[in-house]
Amino acid sequence: MARRQSIRTGKSRVAADLEAPLVARVETAPAPVGPETVAEIFRRLSALNPEPRAELAYVNAYTLLVAVVLSAQATDRSVNLATAPLFAVADTPEKMLGLGEERVRDFIRTIGLFNTKAKNVIALSQILVERHGGAVPRARDALEVLPGVGTKTASVVLNVAFGVETIAVDTHIFRVSNRIPLVVAPTTDKVQAGLEAIVPAPYRLNAHHWLILFGRYICKARRPECPRCPINDLCRYPSKTL
């Protein structure tokens, strides 16, 4: 009985590592850009992509939650390849529980840390059924107690599924924010708080998507593509590429 309780509500060391905020040395020296520049940055990103969409595939709030949990330390592409057949047979927590942990593990075997993630998916599905009638809660505190769910995952679900103006900070947003810089901070939690305080209201709902896509395809980690960057003239990053 004690083991069962641990699976349902406890979080393993690996799971805790997956949820922990990133901590890194801030590489940029310049002071953050001012409010007018922040507004112009998001105006340009918005003009280039007026209706940004998440690249993770999902069919409802529950499958979005599962997909984001699985995406920790994995690419969206690898997650989509694994979840397409999984969600075809289990798109509710009840159906996922019907599969059981072993079958879920088989579906997601190609994703890193699949053993821990399979446990988390079953455990969070059990909690959703027992405490929330099978629905994904709209409250941050209720989301963050679910196994495998941390600040970033909760923010993605709140933003994408429920239209909450929150900014989930992943590695891309963390890098971009410190490079431009929009917010200079050593952890993802502090970057999130800073961004949510400075992004103008008209752009806040989609800021998460714009910054992720910008970091994924233009402001890349190893060699940012500065020559084709739409905000090159506004960015203060000292190590721009030629």
Side-chain angles (χ1 to χ4, degrees):
M1 179 62 71
R3 177 179 175 79
R4 183 178 181 184
Q5 181 69 18
S6 175
I7 291 175
R8 287 189 179 183
T9 59
K11 297 190 178 182
S12 68
R13 179 173 299 175
V14 173
D17 289 343
L18 287 174
E19 300 166 34
L22 293 171
V23 179
R25 177 180 62 84
V26 176
E27 63 174 325
T28 53
V33 298
E36 291 184 0
T37 302
V38 171
E40 177 61 14
I41 286 171
F42 283 98
R43 187 197 67 76
R44 294 185 191 181
L45 296 178
S46 172
L48 290 171
N49 188 2
E51 297 183 2
R53 294 288 180 267
E55 293 191 324
L56 280 175
Y58 65 97
V59 296
N60 53 33
Y62 171 71
T63 54
L64 173 65
L65 172 63
V66 172
V68 181
V69 167
L70 296 179
S71 71
Q73 298 184 26
T75 65
D76 287 359
R77 182 177 182 276
S78 68
V79 173
N80 289 341
L81 288 172
T83 56
L86 173 62
F87 292 160
V89 296
D91 59 0
T92 68
E94 293 85 357
K95 292 177 182 177
M96 196 70 72
L97 290 173
L99 286 181
E101 184 180 319
E102 184 174 350
R103 288 195 64 195
V104 171
R105 187 164 57 244
D106 289 339
F107 275 104
I108 67 171
R109 191 171 294 275
T110 56
I111 302 175
L113 301 171
F114 64 89
N115 284 314
T116 296
K117 291 177 180 180
K119 291 179 184 294
N120 286 339
V121 168
I122 291 298
L124 72 82
S125 298
Q126 187 70 46
I127 293 173
L128 292 180
V129 169
E130 292 181 351
R131 303 181 189 176
H132 303 285
V136 176
R138 298 186 178 215
R140 179 179 291 278
D141 57 351
L143 285 169
E144 291 187 1
V145 298
L146 297 173
V149 177
T151 301
K152 188 197 80 171
T153 298
S155 295
V156 172
V157 172
L158 290 171
N159 178 260
V160 177
F162 302 126
V164 178
E165 295 180 347
T166 186
I167 301 174
V169 177
D170 69 347
T171 56
H172 299 297
I173 296 181
F174 182 78
R175 178 177 67 255
V176 166
S177 178
N178 279 291
R179 265 186 184 170
I180 292 173
L182 296 169
V183 174
V184 175
T187 68
T188 51
D189 289 350
K190 290 181 178 180
V191 169
Q192 176 172 341
L195 288 173
E196 290 177 354
I198 67 169
V199 174
Y203 305 112
R204 209 167 292 144
L205 178 62
N206 290 320
H208 162 79
H209 297 300
W210 286 320
L211 292 176
I212 283 180
L213 295 173
F214 179 67
R216 184 171 290 166
Y217 298 113
I218 297 178
C219 196
K220 300 174 182 178
R222 293 186 179 180
R223 187 173 178 81
E225 298 188 16
C226 300
R228 71 181 189 93
C229 173
I231 62 168
N232 187 304
D233 58 315
L234 304 176
C235 173
R236 297 176 177 176
Y237 182 50
S239 302
K240 292 181 182 178
T241 57
L242 300 177

